[in-house]
Amino acid sequence: MRRPLLVLLAVLIGLSPGTGYAQKKKKHGKKTAAQTDSSAEPDKVLYDRALQDIKRGRHEVGRLTLQTLINTYPDSEYLAKAKLSIADSFYKEAGTANLAQAISGYKDFIVFFPFLPEAAYAQLQVGMTHYKQLDKPDRDRTHARAAEDEFQTFLQKYPADPLVPKAEQRLREVQEILAEGDYRIGNFYYIKGSYRAAAARLMTVTNRYPLYSRVDRALWMLGTIFEKNERKDIAVNYYARIVRNYPLSGLTDDAKKRLSALNSPIPQPDPQALARMQQEQAADHRRAGIFHKATGILRSAPDVSMAATIGKPNLEPETASSGIDILKTGGGQNSVGGGGSTTAVVATVTPGSSNTGSASTGTPTEAESTGGAGSEAPAPEAGSNPQPDTATSGSDASSGGASGAQPANPSATSPATDAKGAPPAANQANAQGGDTKSADAKNAAADKKKESTSKKKKGLRKIIPW
């Protein structure tokens, strides 16, 4: 009876984790793992170790390990992956300085490895880095402009990449923010009654961002602006665009009524636009709740819940040399009304060029009529008497020396004169010096005023002649 119990007890003791067969198996397993680690390539060991550190949040340690790999093994097959992982580490760690380093790392990867499949991912990440720093529409739009440019570059360089849907959606969201900023400014001027300034912003919204969630309101305001200023031929084009391109808008019925009142034909809805709006209404936009709206002032990130999810975003970059947009009568390819036979076009003129007038109407622009930037003073005609020098005219400094006439009584204006009625040499020199300083000060003030006027007129403006 006791013998079987002793045998069973011995068996249990031999199978315990700390002794016997189990302990030998554990030692054997450790030895096998050590042999496996020692047989691996050293560059791969460094790369795997760095990825583990980055995954656990030790970004600086991981980047140091990756940099060691790059410096020690310049011909390693993990060289490109190491450079990309360093940029990813900066992107994940976030912060203004780290994101700037991430952008630099991604762009360096594109330069050194342009033909690798990861180059498309790096280009997308450049846009995502700017997207991560977006501000609200009424604040600085530097990152929004940069993100739009980078996403457009990605879609143009890699149109067949699997990441295209993600890039298109992010571009639609960025353009929603940009359009919202211009719309708010245009709406402010519209309410204020400054219709020229309002039309400048609203036309940017309607021409560049057709997928903007409130583009129909911008078209409606443009129609009312031109209608109030007796340009009904242009107003009907904006009302027609609402009916044709945004048939499910809440302003479609009002636009039809305005077209009927203006004796203009009502266009048929565009089938593609109708299908797009139906899909857009069925999409889940995840509208912000009451709590989200109430705490929105505490967040710096913009709300992109109303951005479109269907349709191709605008891939044309907004160049700084787009010039001054001038509304002119007559047909053209850049129609502000959107119709085929429009009565107004937007002419693009480079800032600083002399040809800024309206070619079809012959009407001078504001810069020409007011002597704006680039205008020169007319030369004096032949035979005409030029303005006499203020230093020798003897005029008083307070009068500006404009008359150029000698005073009637020199002794009354000059306290010390010689026998012939001329001032002494010292007083004459002082008078000449004072007049010269006065003339220099006036010339400097005139040049400063002219330069200020020139700078104001060289900017991007829209001149609407009505």
Side-chain angles (χ1 to χ4, degrees), residues 182 185-186 189 194-207 222 225-226 325 327 460-464 466:
D182 288 331
I185 298 175
Y189 285 121
S194 301
Y195 294 135
R196 178 176 297 181
R201 294 289 183 166
L202 296 175
M203 281 192 290
T204 301
V205 173
T206 57
N207 293 337
L222 284 171
I225 287 173
F226 283 100
D325 295 336
L327 291 184
L460 180 64
R461 299 183 300 139
K462 295 184 183 295
I463 302 174
I464 304 175
W466 47 48

Side-chain angles (χ1 to χ4, degrees), residues 366-420:
E366 182 181 354
E368 293 175 349
S369 61
T370 58
S375 61
E376 299 180 356
E381 298 180 359
S384 60
N385 295 326
Q387 183 76 12
D389 188 12
T390 56
T392 59
S393 62
S395 59
D396 186 49
S398 61
S399 64
S403 62
Q406 295 288 342
N409 188 6
S411 61
T413 58
S414 179
T417 58
D418 57 4
K420 296 182 180 180

Side-chain angles (χ1 to χ4, degrees), residues 175-197:
Q175 291 182 347
E176 176 79 9
I177 297 171
L178 293 172
E180 178 68 20
D182 288 331
Y183 174 82
R184 290 185 183 182
I185 298 175
N187 186 45
F188 168 79
Y189 285 121
Y190 179 81
I191 296 174
K192 186 180 178 181
S194 301
Y195 294 135
R196 178 176 297 181

Side-chain angles (χ1 to χ4, degrees), residues 4 6 10 14 106 130 144 157 164 174 209 224 256 275 321 343 357 377 461:
L6 294 174
Y106 287 129
H130 289 292
K157 290 178 63 176
V164 165
V174 170
Y209 310 112
T224 56
K256 291 180 179 179
S321 60
T343 57
R461 299 183 300 139

Side-chain angles (χ1 to χ4, degrees), residues 67-86:
Q67 194 62 44
T68 303
L69 167 63
I70 295 172
N71 297 335
T72 309
Y73 306 98
D75 298 330
S76 173
E77 60 178 329
Y78 296 96
L79 181 63
K81 294 181 179 180
K83 287 183 175 292
L84 191 61
S85 298
I86 291 176

